[in-house]
C-alpha cells in the first residue's frame, strides 16, 4: 500500500514539473527510458509513425517493442525490424527514446545500438513538442519497467505502455528560445555544446544553362562568411534529375545527432544534406563539391569525406566513404567531391593515427621481406647440410628460419592478397600471419632458453628436437584457433597514410576493433615484452660469461656474434616499444629495416662466422686453442670452491661446444 502511494505521488510530482515547465517555456526535447521485460522468443521493433501532432505511444509485450503515433513534421515510417542482430540473451533490455522536435528526429537506443527512426531534417513551420504523459496503462508480466522521463523515475512497476500527448508550436519561436537559453543539449545520454541548434535550408532551382550553382550555409552569429560551408552543384545534377529542378541544401550544426560508430572516429561540427524531392541521384558524371571549413585538424589524425546512406536498414547505417573523394586544402579546410545525394560530412579518424612516410616504409618492408625469405631458405639448406647435422642447436636454428620464412613470405604478399581476395580471404591470411609471428617469437624464446641451457646445464642433455617442434610450431596455433573461434578478429585492415587519407594501404591482419585490439595486446605485445626482456638479459649474461675468450677479443667476431645473438633473441623487436616522441620516425625506420631484414642478418651471421673459423685454421684452431683452454679450465676447479668450480666447468663446457663448431 505504501509502495503504491509512493509511486502515485512520484507520478503526480513529475506531471507537476512537466506542466509547470510547459507554462514558462516549451520543451526542446524528450527523453524516455525504461527496461523492456520480454521473453526469449525472437524479438522485433514495430515502428508506425506519421506526420501530425497528437500523441505517441511506447508499448511492449513478450516479443515486440512498439513505437506508434503522430508527432513528426514530415517523417512517415511503418516497419517491423528484427532484433536478432542485437543478441538480446537476457529477458530484460534497457532502452531510451529521444525526440528532437526542431530537427524532426526520433532516435531509439536499445541493446547498445542507436537506431534512427526519423532522420534529421530542416526546420519546419510547426513543431510537435511539450509531450506530456497521458493515461496510465495497466500492469503486466511483460512490458516496460522503471519508466523514467528525463531521468526522473515514474514508477518501478511493469506497464504495458506509456502514452505522451503533444502540442504544436511555431518552430521559429522554439528555435529562438533555444538560442536565448542554454547552449547545451542532452542527446543519447551525452551533453554536448552546439553552435546553432536549428538546421537551416537553402533552395536552388537549377535551369538549363549548364552552369555551376553555389550554395552557402546561412550566416550565424559568430561565424564569418569565410568559415561558411559551401556547396557547388554541377550541371550534371540537373541532367540526372527526372521530375524536379529544385535542390534543397540543409546545413546542420549539432554534430551529436550524427555521431554514429566507434569512439575512435568523430564527425566535424558541420553536416550537409542535399536532396531533390522524390529523386534518388547516384553516380553523377560530375561530382558535387562541398567545402567544409572547420577547426584545425592536426596531421596526426586522418580525415576523409563520408556520406550517410539512409536507405539501409537502421541496424547497419553508418558513415561510408563510398562515392566521395577527399581533398585536403589545409588544416582548416576540406573539400569533398561526391557523386550522389544524401548527408555529407568529414570524418576524423582519432585512432589509429595515420602513418607518415607509409610509401617508403612499405617499399623497405617489401624489399626486406623478399631478401629475408631467400636468405632463410639458403640458411635452412646450409644448416641441414650433413657436416653440421649433429649439432644440438641445429633443429632450433632451422625452426626459427622456417618460421621467419613463412612470416616474411605472408607479409610480402599481404597487400596483394587483400586487394585480390578481400575480406573473406583476409580472414585466413590474417590468421596465418598472426600464427607465423607468434611462432617466430616462440622460436626466439627457445633460442634464449637453449642458450641458457648450454651455459648452465652442463651435465644435462638437451631436449629432443620433437620437443622444440611441439613448442615452436604447435603451441602458437592454440591462441590462433581460440581467436578464430571467437570471430571478428582477423580480416581486412586499412593503414592510412598521412599524405593521402583517401587511399589507404590494404593488408590482411587483425581488424581495427575492440576485440582485435585486446587480442593484440594479450598475445603479441605480452609475448614480445617477455621475449625482449629475457633476450636482453640472456645477451648480457652470455657476453659476461665468454667475453674473455681470445676469439671474442677480435672485433669482427665479437660484432657478428653479438649481432647474431641479438637477432636470435628477438631484441631488435624491442624498438617497437620506443616508437614515441620526437625520434619516432627514426625509430620506425630503424625497426622496419632491422626486423624486415632479420632473416638476411641471421644468414649473414652464420656464414661470416663459419668463414672466420675456416680462415683461422679450422682443425688447427680446434686442436690447439681448445686443448689450451681445457688445460687452463681443468686446473682451475682444484683451487676454487664448489660454486666457482661448477661455474668454471660450465664456462669450459660452453667454450668447448662453441670452439667445436656449435653455434648459439
Amino acid at each position: 500500500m505504501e509502495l503504491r502511494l509512493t509511486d502515485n505521488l512520484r507520478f503526480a510530482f513529475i506531471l507537476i514539473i512537466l506542466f509547470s515547465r510547459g507554462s514558462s517555456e516549451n520543451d526542446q526535447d524528450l527523453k524516455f527510458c525504461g527496461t523492456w521485460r520480454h521473453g526469449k522468443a525472437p524479438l522485433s521493433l514495430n515502428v508506425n509513425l506519421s506526420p501530425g501532432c497528437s500523441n505517441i505511444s511506447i508499448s511492449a509485450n513478450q516479443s515486440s517493442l512498439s513505437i506508434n503515433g503522430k508527432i513528426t513534421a514530415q517523417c512517415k515510417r511503418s516497419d517491423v525490424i528484427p532484433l536478432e542482430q542485437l543478441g538480446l540473451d537476457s529477458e530484460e533490455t534497457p532502452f531510451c527514446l529521444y525526440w528532437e522536435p526542431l530537427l524532426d528526429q526520433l532516435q531509439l537506443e536499445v541493446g547498445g545500438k542507436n537506431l534512427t527512426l526519423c532522420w534529421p531534417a530542416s526546420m519546419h513551420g510547426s513543431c510537435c513538442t511539450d509531450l506530456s504523459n497521458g493515461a496510465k496503462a495497466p500492469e503486466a508480466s511483460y512490458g516496460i519497467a522503471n519508466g523514467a522521463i528525463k531521468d526522473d523515475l515514474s514508477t518501478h512497476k511493469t506497464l504495458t505502455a506509456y502514452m505522451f500527448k503533444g502540442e504544436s508550436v511555431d518552430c521559429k519561436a522554439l528555435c529562438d528560445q533555444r538560442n536565448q537559453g542554454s547552449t547545451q543539449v542532452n542527446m543519447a545520454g551525452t551533453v554536448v555544446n552546439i553552435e546553432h541548434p536549428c538546421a537551416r535550408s537553402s533552395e536552388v532551382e537549377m535551369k538549363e544553362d549548364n552552369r555551376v550553382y553555389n550554395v552557402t550555409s546561412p550566416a550565424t552569429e559568430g561565424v564569418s562568411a569565410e568559415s561558411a560551408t559551401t556547396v557547388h552543384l554541377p550541371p550534371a545534377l540537373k541532367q540526372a534529375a527526372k521530375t524536379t529542378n529544385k535542390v534543397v541544401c540543409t546545413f546542420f550544426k549539432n554534430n551529436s545527432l550524427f555521431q554514429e560508430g566507434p569512439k575512435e572516429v568523430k564527425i566535424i561540427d558541420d553536416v550537409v544534406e542535399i536532396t531533390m524531392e522524390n529523386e534518388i541521384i547516384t553516380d553523377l558524371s560530375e561530382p558535387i563539391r562541398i567545402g567544409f571549413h572547420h577547426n584545425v585538424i592536426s596531421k596526426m589524425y586522418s580525415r576523409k569525406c563520408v556520406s550517410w546512406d539512409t536507405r539501409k536498414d537502421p541496424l547497419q547505417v553508418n558513415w561510408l566513404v563510398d562515392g566521395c573523394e577527399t581533398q585536403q586544402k589545409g588544416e582548416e579546410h576540406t573539400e569533398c567531391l561526391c557523386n550522389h545525394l544524401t548527408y555529407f560530412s568529414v570524418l576524423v579518424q582519432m585512432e589509429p593515427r595515420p602513418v607518415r612516410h607509409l610509401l617508403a616504409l612499405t617499399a623497405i618492408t617489401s624489399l626486406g621481406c623478399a631478401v629475408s625469405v631467400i636468405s632463410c631458405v639458403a640458411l635452412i639448406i646450409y644448416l641441414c647440410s650433413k657436416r653440421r647435422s649433429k649439432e644440438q642447436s641445429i633443429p632450433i636454428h632451422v625452426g626459427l628460419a622456417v618460421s621467419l620464412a613463412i612470416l616474411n613470405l605472408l607479409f610480402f604478399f599481404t597487400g596483394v592478397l587483400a586487394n585480390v581476395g578481400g575480406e573473406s580471404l583476409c580472414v585466413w591470411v590474417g590468421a596465418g600471419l598472426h600464427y607465423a609471428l607468434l611462432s617466430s617469437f616462440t622460436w626466439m624464446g627457445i633460442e634464449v632458453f637453449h642458450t641458457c641451457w648450454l651455459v648452465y646445464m652442463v651435465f644435462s642433455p638437451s631436449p629432443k628436437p620433437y620437443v622444440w617442434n611441439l613448442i615452436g610450431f604447435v603451441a602458437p596455433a592454440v591462441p590462433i584457433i581460440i581467436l578464430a573461434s571467437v570471430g571478428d578478429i582477423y580480416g581486412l585492415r586499412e593503414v592510412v597514410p598521412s599524405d593521402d587519407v583517401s587511399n589507404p594501404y590494404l593488408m590482411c591482419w587483425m581488424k581495427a576493433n575492440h576485440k582485435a585490439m585486446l587480442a593484440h595486446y594479450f598475445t603479441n605485445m605480452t609475448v614480445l615484452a617477455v621475449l625482449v626482456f629475457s633476450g636482453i638479459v640472456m645477451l648480457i649474461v652470455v657476453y659476461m660469461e665468454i667475453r674473455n675468450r681470445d676469439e671474442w677479443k677480435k672485433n669482427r667476431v665479437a660484432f657478428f656474434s653479438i649481432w647474431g645473438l641479438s637477432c636470435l633473441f628477438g631484441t631488435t623487436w624491442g624498438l617497437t616499444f620506443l616508437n614515441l616522441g620526437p625520434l619516432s620516425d627514426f625509430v620506425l625506420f630503424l625497426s622496419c629495416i632491422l626486423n624486415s631484414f632479420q632473416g638476411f642478418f641471421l644468414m649473414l651471421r652464420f656464414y661470416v662466422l663459419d668463414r672466420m673459423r675456416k680462415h683461422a685454421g679450422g682443425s688447427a684452431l680446434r686442436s690447439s686453442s681448445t686443448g689450451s683452454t681445457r688445460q687452463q679450465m681443468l686446473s682451475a676447479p682444484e683451487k676454487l670452491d664448489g660454486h666457482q668450480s661448477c661455474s668454471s666447468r660450465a664456462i669450459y663446457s660452453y667454450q668447448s661446444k662453441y670452439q667445436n663448431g656449435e653455434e648459439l
Side-chain angles (χ1 to χ4, degrees):
M1 181 70 182
E2 293 180 358
L3 180 62
R4 180 177 301 176
L5 180 60
T6 302
D7 286 340
N8 291 334
L9 289 175
R10 183 184 292 111
F11 183 72
F13 180 69
I14 292 174
L15 286 179
I16 292 174
I17 292 177
L18 292 175
F19 284 127
S20 62
R21 183 181 299 171
S23 62
S24 59
E25 62 179 20
N26 300 110
D27 290 334
Q28 299 171 5
D29 56 26
L30 170 71
K31 174 184 177 183
F32 174 77
C33 298
T35 301
W36 176 21
R37 291 181 176 171
H38 51 77
K40 294 186 177 180
L43 304 177
S44 63
L45 171 65
N46 299 332
V47 181
N48 189 5
L49 299 169
S50 57
C53 188
S54 56
N55 58 64
I56 183 173
S57 67
I58 304 102
S59 59
N61 56 33
Q62 186 175 0
S63 60
S64 64
L65 178 67
S66 301
I67 313 293
N68 301 284
K70 295 182 178 181
I71 61 169
T72 69
Q74 66 173 10
C75 177
K76 185 176 182 180
R77 182 166 190 172
S78 180
D79 285 320
V80 177
I81 304 171
L83 299 178
E84 287 87 353
Q85 299 181 32
L86 301 182
L88 305 179
D89 297 329
S90 174
E91 295 184 4
E92 293 188 355
T93 302
F95 72 92
C96 284
L97 184 71
Y98 306 94
W99 167 240
E100 283 278 337
L102 275 172
L103 294 158
D104 206 35
Q105 169 166 300
L106 189 65
Q107 189 175 20
L108 177 68
E109 181 181 353
V110 57
K113 293 285 188 178
N114 291 327
L115 312 182
T116 303
L117 306 181
C118 288
W119 307 107
S122 60
M123 187 172 60
H124 297 272
S126 177
C127 288
C128 189
T129 184
D130 295 339
L131 298 178
S132 58
N133 205 338
K136 193 173 183 180
E139 298 183 39
S141 300
Y142 300 100
I144 302 172
N146 303 320
I149 304 170
K150 292 190 175 181
D151 298 325
D152 293 324
L153 181 65
S154 173
T155 179
H156 289 288
K157 297 177 182 179
T158 302
L159 306 181
T160 57
Y162 279 81
M163 179 74 72
F164 293 92
K165 297 180 179 179
E167 293 184 8
S168 180
V169 300
D170 181 66
C171 287
K172 187 178 184 304
L174 185 62
C175 181
D176 293 339
Q177 173 186 310
R178 176 172 288 186
N179 285 337
Q180 297 171 1
S182 173
T183 58
Q184 291 185 334
V185 60
N186 190 320
M187 188 64 185
T190 304
V191 178
V192 295
N193 293 320
I194 60 175
E195 295 184 31
H196 198 279
C198 311
R200 300 298 179 94
S201 295
S202 295
E203 186 177 284
V204 175
E205 184 172 356
M206 302 186 71
K207 300 179 180 179
E208 298 286 351
D209 51 8
N210 291 326
R211 69 182 181 92
V212 176
Y213 288 81
N214 299 323
V215 183
T216 304
S217 60
T220 57
E221 185 178 353
V223 179
S224 62
E226 293 78 10
S227 300
T229 301
T230 57
V231 178
H232 305 279
L233 304 173
L237 182 59
K238 171 66 178 68
Q239 298 168 5
K242 298 178 180 178
T243 60
T244 183
N245 298 330
K246 294 182 179 180
V247 181
V248 179
C249 298
T250 306
F251 301 88
F252 300 89
K253 272 290 184 182
N254 187 351
N255 65 353
S256 67
L257 302 175
F258 299 93
Q259 293 295 347
E260 290 280 333
K263 296 180 180 179
E264 292 81 8
V265 297
K266 181 182 179 181
I267 297 296
I268 64 170
D269 290 341
D270 297 287
V271 177
V272 178
E273 180 193 16
I274 307 175
T275 59
M276 298 185 77
E277 186 177 2
N278 299 323
E279 293 277 0
I280 298 177
I281 306 295
T282 59
D283 300 323
L284 289 171
S285 58
E286 185 179 358
I288 300 171
R289 307 177 73 93
I290 309 169
F292 290 99
H293 294 269
H294 43 71
N295 295 330
V296 174
I297 299 177
S298 171
K299 293 182 179 180
M300 298 173 61
Y301 307 111
S302 67
R303 47 183 147 140
K304 46 191 172 184
C305 297
V306 291
S307 62
W308 200 357
D309 190 351
T310 60
R311 293 171 296 167
K312 287 189 176 182
D313 184 270
L315 294 178
Q316 300 176 354
V317 167
N318 209 336
W319 290 103
L320 306 174
V321 297
D322 301 341
C324 285
E325 180 184 342
T326 305
Q327 291 186 356
Q328 298 184 20
K329 301 295 185 177
E331 293 183 334
E332 300 180 356
H333 184 198
T334 303
E335 189 171 68
C336 300
L337 283 68
C338 303
N339 63 3
H340 57 292
L341 301 185
T342 182
Y343 298 86
F344 302 98
S345 187
V346 177
L347 183 144
V348 182
Q349 187 81 29
M350 309 301 292
E351 293 290 343
R353 297 177 181 178
V355 180
R356 299 178 62 185
H357 315 295
L358 181 60
L359 182 61
L361 291 171
T362 303
I364 293 173
T365 303
S366 299
L367 178 61
C369 288
V371 173
S372 288
V373 170
I374 298 173
S375 301
C376 285
V377 173
L379 181 58
I380 294 170
I381 297 173
Y382 170 73
L383 291 173
C384 293
S385 60
K386 293 183 179 180
R387 63 187 181 89
R388 302 178 57 85
S389 59
K390 295 182 180 180
E391 297 177 15
Q392 297 180 13
S393 57
I394 286 298
I396 300 175
H397 298 332
V398 172
L400 176 59
V402 170
S403 61
L404 281 177
I406 298 174
L407 174 64
N408 286 279
L409 185 65
L410 287 176
F411 203 88
F412 180 80
F413 286 107
T414 182
V416 176
L417 295 174
N419 284 281
V420 174
E423 182 71 27
S424 58
L425 181 60
C426 272
V427 173
W428 296 94
V429 177
L433 188 60
H434 191 200
Y435 165 77
L437 180 65
L438 292 182
S439 180
S440 298
F441 287 165
T442 304
W443 279 110
M444 292 175 190
I446 292 174
E447 293 278 7
V448 174
F449 178 80
H450 189 257
T451 301
C452 180
W453 190 287
L454 291 178
V455 175
Y456 292 104
M457 304 299 289
V458 182
F459 304 108
S460 300
S462 177
K464 299 296 182 182
Y466 74 86
V467 176
W468 302 130
N469 290 331
L470 285 175
I471 298 174
F473 288 125
V474 178
V478 176
I480 305 300
I481 295 174
I482 295 175
L483 294 177
S485 63
V486 171
D488 201 30
I489 300 292
Y490 305 108
L492 197 63
R493 179 72 174 266
E494 290 186 356
V495 183
V496 181
S498 59
D499 54 348
D500 187 8
V501 296
S502 62
N503 187 26
Y505 174 77
L506 301 180
M507 65 176 296
C508 298
W509 181 232
M510 306 175 83
K511 292 183 176 181
N513 55 35
H514 183 65
K515 288 196 298 183
M517 187 63 66
L518 287 177
H520 170 66
Y521 280 108
F522 278 105
T523 56
N524 301 334
M525 300 306 292
T526 302
V527 173
L528 184 58
V530 173
L531 172 65
V532 171
F533 177 76
S534 60
I536 292 175
V537 171
M538 197 63 228
L539 194 63
I540 295 173
V541 169
V542 170
Y543 174 74
M544 296 299 294
E545 290 285 1
I546 61 177
R547 63 193 173 107
N548 293 323
R549 285 184 49 199
D550 292 337
E551 289 80 358
W552 278 74
K553 294 179 182 179
K554 299 178 181 179
N555 292 333
R556 290 183 301 170
V557 178
F559 173 78
F560 280 105
S561 296
I562 290 294
W563 176 261
L565 289 175
S566 66
C567 290
L568 286 174
F569 296 163
T571 56
T572 56
W573 288 88
L575 293 171
T576 305
F577 301 104
L578 303 178
N579 189 18
L580 299 170
L583 296 178
S584 59
D585 287 346
F586 171 77
V587 173
L588 187 60
F589 271 95
L590 184 61
S591 175
C592 181
I593 294 171
L594 294 182
N595 293 319
S596 62
F597 282 91
Q598 191 172 33
F600 170 73
F601 293 139
L602 283 178
M603 185 273 296
L604 185 63
R605 187 248 182 187
F606 280 97
Y607 175 77
V608 171
L609 289 180
D610 187 65
R611 294 287 297 178
M612 285 181 176
R613 278 197 302 271
K614 291 181 179 180
H615 184 70
S619 60
L621 174 64
R622 286 191 291 270
S623 61
S624 60
S625 179
T626 305
S628 175
T629 305
R630 285 181 179 179
Q631 280 189 338
Q632 295 173 6
M633 296 304 297
L634 285 173
S635 61
E638 298 176 357
K639 302 178 182 180
L640 302 174
D641 58 25
H643 174 75
Q644 291 172 319
S645 295
C646 181
S647 177
S648 299
R649 286 194 296 271
I651 297 172
Y652 161 68
S653 175
Y654 175 83
Q655 290 175 335
S656 298
K657 291 178 180 179
Y658 187 88
Q659 291 167 344
N660 280 283
E662 185 165 336
E663 300 281 0
L664 282 178

